[in-house]
Amino acid sequence: MAQDAKGNVRAPELLDLTIDNITPNTVRINSQSSDARLTYLMARLVTHLHDFARETRLSTDEWMTALGFLIGCGQISNDVRNEFILLSDVLGLSLLVDSINHPKPPLGTEGSVLGPFHTHDAPVLPNGSSMTADPLGEPMLAVCTVKDTEGRPVAGVKIDIWETDSSGHYDVQHAGRNEPSERCVMVSDEQGRFWFQGLKPVSYPIPHDGPVGKLLQLLSRHCWRPAHVHFMFGKTGWDNLITALYLRGDPYETSDAVFGVKKSLIIDLEEVDSDTAKEYGVKEGIWLLKHDFVLTTEEQTEKLRDQLAVEALEKLGLRMKLVDHLPVPDLD
């Protein structure tokens, strides 16, 4: 914080603030940081937030209701449930931010939403293991590969995998959870392969007993997600991929409550034949998920992200420059 020779804090004078001048004055006093990116983010946030209030003629009651809503999101959140992630999801912001930050070339596997139920306690399992303890679900074998955009296998990729049980609940939603279930971590082998046993995914409602669920009710929106399995891929030098595979024909395929479905991520399940059953040591006739995932390098993603950022900023008529791949005002 800037100070004069006597140690007094130096700040712009803020007097006679009105509807018309509160925005530039707020931006002005927020522009004392040496962090150009933070200054830019706060300037745009304040500008859009104030314009929203002016455009909608936001009432005090509405504003207090909104603040109470945010407080409620914080109060219901805990180590295994994050209502703010859920809010970001249902507003479409999660998918938007991921799409901006992790653009994919034509051959790359598209991303999807992380969701609020990823954990960091999933066990690391060897290929072929079962990640479920649910005896009521329909068994499924998943056989997958990880490759680059040239079709070459990528070995040593850490893959987080998680899904609901047959009742449509994640393990962390069950009271008295003692250990992880329907989730695991695997590592791709030298041929880029990984395979595991899980359950045929089912449709399920997102948590709707909190503020976000009440908001969906007010908006006359349903709270359901189509059947899917989550995957997250990570390896040094490669762009982190958070994605999911969705079952074709699910009743919520085209109206996912969190906007996660993309056409390239919709799949059809097969049935395990006798040869596959023998090869992987599973029962013939159970469900079979087969998919080839394609990763992009950090360099590929950064280059494409920079290119798209420059194009988008030029269309907006903004004079910007990229610093660490993020736009800031070009004042030179």
Side-chain angles (χ1 to χ4, degrees):
M1 184 174 293
Q3 296 179 330
D4 60 22
K6 297 181 179 180
N8 298 315
V9 174
R10 292 186 301 177
E13 293 184 1
L14 303 176
L15 297 171
D16 299 322
L17 299 178
T18 67
I19 291 175
D20 296 321
N21 70 17
I22 181 63
T23 302
N25 275 285
T26 305
V27 170
R28 184 162 157 251
I29 199 169
N30 284 343
S31 299
Q32 303 174 85
S33 171
S34 60
D35 187 329
R37 178 63 178 175
L38 175 61
T39 299
Y40 175 60
L41 288 174
M42 289 303 300
R44 302 316 300 154
L45 175 62
V46 167
T47 299
H48 289 300
L49 191 59
H50 287 200
D51 283 346
F52 170 79
R54 278 187 286 262
E55 178 186 338
T56 62
R57 309 307 294 180
L58 191 65
S59 73
T60 300
D61 286 345
E62 289 170 332
W63 181 232
M64 294 308 296
T65 298
L67 292 178
F69 173 84
L70 294 176
I71 291 170
C73 288
Q75 290 173 333
I76 203 170
S77 297
N78 53 43
D79 291 342
V80 295
R81 174 176 178 169
N82 192 317
E83 195 80 356
F84 286 105
I85 290 179
L86 195 62
L87 176 61
S88 175
D89 290 347
V90 303
L91 293 178
L93 184 59
S94 298
L95 189 69
L96 176 60
V97 172
D98 180 76
S99 299
I100 291 171
N101 283 272
H102 301 278
K104 305 299 179 188
L107 296 178
T109 298
E110 291 189 282
S112 188
V113 294
L114 175 68
F117 293 115
H118 173 260
T119 71
H120 297 282
D121 64 351
V124 178
L125 299 179
N127 274 320
S129 299
S130 174
M131 68 171 191
T132 179
D134 182 358
L136 302 179
E138 299 182 53
M140 180 184 73
L141 170 68
V143 180
C144 306
T145 64
V146 187
K147 299 178 180 179
D148 65 13
T149 53
E150 300 296 323
R152 296 169 296 210
V154 184
V157 179
K158 175 188 173 186
I159 308 125
D160 281 67
I161 308 160
W162 67 105
E163 63 172 338
T164 70
D165 60 19
S166 59
S167 72
H169 293 87
Y170 288 95
D171 55 356
V172 295
Q173 293 179 280
H174 292 294
R177 172 185 184 259
N178 295 317
E179 60 183 6
S181 188
E182 288 75 55
R183 65 177 74 241
C184 71
V185 175
M186 293 196 152
V187 179
S188 60
D189 68 13
E190 290 301 315
Q191 286 75 49
R193 302 174 303 173
F194 67 97
W195 62 97
F196 62 93
Q197 297 175 53
L199 301 175
K200 178 185 179 182
V202 297
S203 309
Y204 67 89
I206 61 174
H208 53 283
D209 58 340
V212 171
K214 293 176 182 177
L215 175 62
L216 292 182
Q217 287 182 333
L218 291 171
L219 296 172
S220 297
R221 286 177 55 183
H222 72 70
C223 59
W224 285 83
R225 296 217 64 202
H228 62 277
V229 183
H230 290 278
F231 298 86
M232 181 165 65
F233 299 81
K235 183 180 180 179
T236 301
W238 298 82
D239 188 47
N240 190 56
L241 172 64
I242 298 170
T243 192
L245 297 178
Y246 299 85
L247 299 194
R248 191 183 312 279
D250 187 282
Y252 303 104
E253 177 185 315
T254 59
S255 62
D256 183 4
V258 301
F259 310 103
V261 182
K262 298 178 181 179
K263 288 183 179 179
S264 66
L265 302 177
I266 299 174
I267 62 167
D268 295 295
L269 294 184
E270 305 174 24
E271 288 189 2
V272 171
D273 59 24
S274 58
D275 291 340
T276 303
K278 292 177 183 177
E279 181 178 0
Y280 292 98
V282 299
K283 291 183 179 180
E284 183 178 351
I286 68 170
W287 294 107
L288 174 63
L289 182 158
K290 297 176 67 176
H291 197 73
D292 298 321
F293 294 93
V294 179
L295 302 187
T296 57
T297 64
E298 288 181 346
E299 183 179 359
Q300 284 177 303
T301 300
E302 287 175 354
K303 183 178 179 180
L304 181 57
R305 186 171 68 235
D306 289 354
Q307 175 190 328
L308 295 175
V310 169
E311 292 174 357
L313 295 169
E314 288 179 348
K315 286 182 180 179
L316 293 172
L318 299 176
R319 184 181 177 187
M320 309 290 288
K321 63 181 178 181
L322 299 182
V323 177
D324 295 328
H325 308 285
L326 296 170
V328 296
D330 187 356
L331 304 177
D332 297 333

